[in-house]
Amino acid sequence: MAQDNAINGPDDDLPVATITVGAGAQQREIALRVRSGDGRPIVWLGGFRSDMRATKARALDAWAERHGRPLVRFDYTGHGESSGAFVNAVISTWVEDAVAVIERFADDRPILVGSSMGGWVTALAVRERFRQGHGHPAGIVLIAPALDFTHDLMWEAFPAEVRAEIEQRGVWYRDTSYSPEPTPVTRALIEDGRRNRLLTDALDLGCPVHILQGMNDPDVPYTHALKTIDRLPAKGTILTLIKDGDHRLSRPQDIELILRTVEAIA
């Protein structure tokens, strides 16, 4: 999934905090920025190889500052300012990061905003919190949600020679237009993704869900959003299609739409 460019400008005014997640060889430090405020806490869950200083994340933080709302941004393991190696992490790793951040900083029926892979992480984190006995979120906004992407949008689309390289060597390096460095796609990532698939059955996240999806998205086709909508309950679920929208949805008009959507659901 695509990376999101950082906004040009001064550094964030918020200090970087860290929390420890995992134990033993799996222990890592997760970097985050926490903005205080009133009302339901909002949590930003970024995309694959993106970070908390990306365009949409910082735009949402600026909105939270203007409106006095609490907001949490964080970097997954192997992303941004967090520790750990990206190549050694899998979806379950990043879900564990998200659950730890939500429990520590946004345990009171949060508003979750997930972008691309962050949409999958959001849904899995909600499911895990249900299992742990926590209540449901107050609302969810998903931007080009890439649920099950390692299987549906990667493995299913890979030619036989790429699948063979992943299975035999354990990793394949995928060129991307979003970064000068190729993305490592590991066998562990693919296998963990299979264990975490959500779109094979009905999916109830226990709260209103609003999906924003570009129809000109080369990474997560809008038909994937339709599949996601089909698994969610009819009540409380909204899909907004942006006909000329790409995957990032980071143009000024896209940012404005995202902020309006978060404000409405919050």
Side-chain angles (χ1 to χ4, degrees):
M1 301 306 101
Q3 293 173 282
D4 195 2
N5 291 334
I7 290 177
N8 293 323
D11 290 339
D12 290 278
D13 61 333
L14 295 171
V16 177
T18 60
I19 61 171
T20 302
V21 178
Q26 300 302 317
Q27 183 173 301
R28 64 268 186 197
E29 297 299 312
I30 299 303
L32 58 143
R33 288 181 167 91
V34 182
R35 182 170 298 284
S36 60
D38 298 317
R40 299 285 183 198
I42 301 167
V43 181
W44 171 262
L45 299 99
F48 193 59
R49 297 191 74 184
S50 187
D51 61 55
M52 61 178 163
R53 296 191 69 252
T55 305
K56 295 188 289 295
R58 293 184 69 180
L60 186 59
D61 180 69
W63 172 88
E65 182 182 25
R66 291 195 303 271
H67 292 272
R69 295 298 300 264
L71 183 135
V72 184
R73 293 173 287 153
F74 69 99
D75 288 336
Y76 305 115
T77 299
H79 289 67
E81 296 164 87
S82 291
S83 69
F86 176 88
V87 71
N88 295 331
V90 293
I91 301 299
S92 293
T93 312
W94 300 323
V95 173
E96 185 179 22
D97 297 341
V99 169
V101 169
I102 294 168
E103 183 174 358
R104 178 80 174 271
F105 297 98
D107 201 35
D108 182 22
R109 295 198 63 212
I111 307 295
L112 305 178
V113 184
S115 177
S116 192
M117 182 189 78
W120 192 9
V121 172
T122 295
L124 289 167
V126 169
R127 186 179 69 173
E128 179 59 27
R129 281 175 55 81
F130 284 161
R131 289 174 178 169
Q132 295 177 5
H134 296 280
H136 53 78
I140 293 173
V141 176
L142 302 179
I143 304 161
L147 280 69
D148 298 6
F149 79 89
T150 56
H151 180 272
D152 291 7
L153 304 179
M154 282 186 169
W155 189 255
E156 289 291 293
F158 287 161
E161 58 270 22
V162 170
R163 292 189 186 190
E165 184 167 351
I166 293 171
E167 289 175 336
Q168 294 166 16
R169 296 185 56 194
V171 63
W172 169 66
Y173 289 89
R174 183 184 196 182
D175 290 332
T176 172
S177 59
Y178 300 104
S179 171
E181 299 177 354
T183 297
V185 179
T186 65
R187 183 171 60 236
L189 177 70
I190 296 295
E191 291 174 348
D192 182 79
R194 285 196 192 104
R195 292 190 291 270
N196 281 297
R197 292 176 68 192
L198 292 174
L199 299 182
T200 57
D201 205 348
L203 177 62
D204 188 351
L205 300 178
C207 66
V209 177
H210 194 147
I211 294 176
L212 304 175
Q213 174 69 49
M215 294 183 73
N216 194 30
D217 185 340
D219 300 301
V220 181
Y222 77 90
T223 51
H224 194 72
L226 297 178
K227 182 177 180 180
T228 303
I229 281 285
D230 189 53
R231 300 299 186 266
L232 291 164
K235 185 177 181 181
T237 298
I238 299 173
L239 170 63
T240 298
L241 294 174
I242 302 95
K243 190 168 185 179
D244 64 346
D246 61 8
H247 184 62
R248 283 175 169 158
L249 290 181
S250 292
R251 301 170 302 176
Q253 64 268 36
D254 300 326
I255 296 292
E256 182 181 352
L257 176 60
I258 290 167
L259 297 180
R260 289 201 312 266
T261 303
V262 172
E263 186 167 18
I265 209 164

